[in-house]
Amino acid sequence: MAKTFEQRTETINDTEYVFQFPGLRAANEISDRCKNQFGVVQQTKIQEELFTHVIVSPKVDWDYFEQKKPEDYAQVIKIANEVFQGPFSGK
């Protein structure tokens, strides 16, 4: 049976965003993919992974934030990072 992961829903500037923890293994694989040769996380890469694996709805990318919702960017990324850090409850 496939594991379902907890989701968190937040409304930011009248847009409802749904975030989901991708699972422990997936989170570690994402972290590994986003580090440079010195082990430093590359922000562009990690945010692209958050767009794909953590922000479930609406589907977002760089154009979404640059052209449609620039005012949401900082808050959405902050919450996506919180969710990405691991299982959560009560938020």
Side-chain angles (χ1 to χ4, degrees), residues 9-80:
T9 302
E10 296 281 344
T11 301
I12 301 167
N13 297 320
D14 299 321
T15 299
E16 184 176 270
Y17 293 89
V18 179
F19 305 85
Q20 180 174 287
F21 178 65
L24 292 172
R25 182 182 180 126
N28 281 296
E29 289 171 345
I30 290 166
S31 291
D32 290 345
R33 284 194 299 270
C34 294
K35 292 177 183 170
N36 67 16
Q37 69 269 27
F38 304 108
V40 177
V41 173
Q42 298 175 83
Q43 290 303 308
T44 302
K45 287 184 179 181
I46 192 72
Q47 289 179 22
E48 288 172 350
E49 295 279 357
L50 295 175
F51 295 163
T52 303
H53 301 288
V54 176
I55 305 167
V56 175
S57 175
K59 291 316 276 177
V60 300
D61 58 15
W62 294 111
D63 289 338
Y64 174 85
F65 289 113
E66 289 177 348
Q67 298 172 9
K68 295 180 183 176
K69 300 291 276 185
E71 66 277 10
D72 292 4
Y73 173 75
Q75 187 66 22
V76 168
I77 294 302
K78 178 182 178 284
I79 294 168

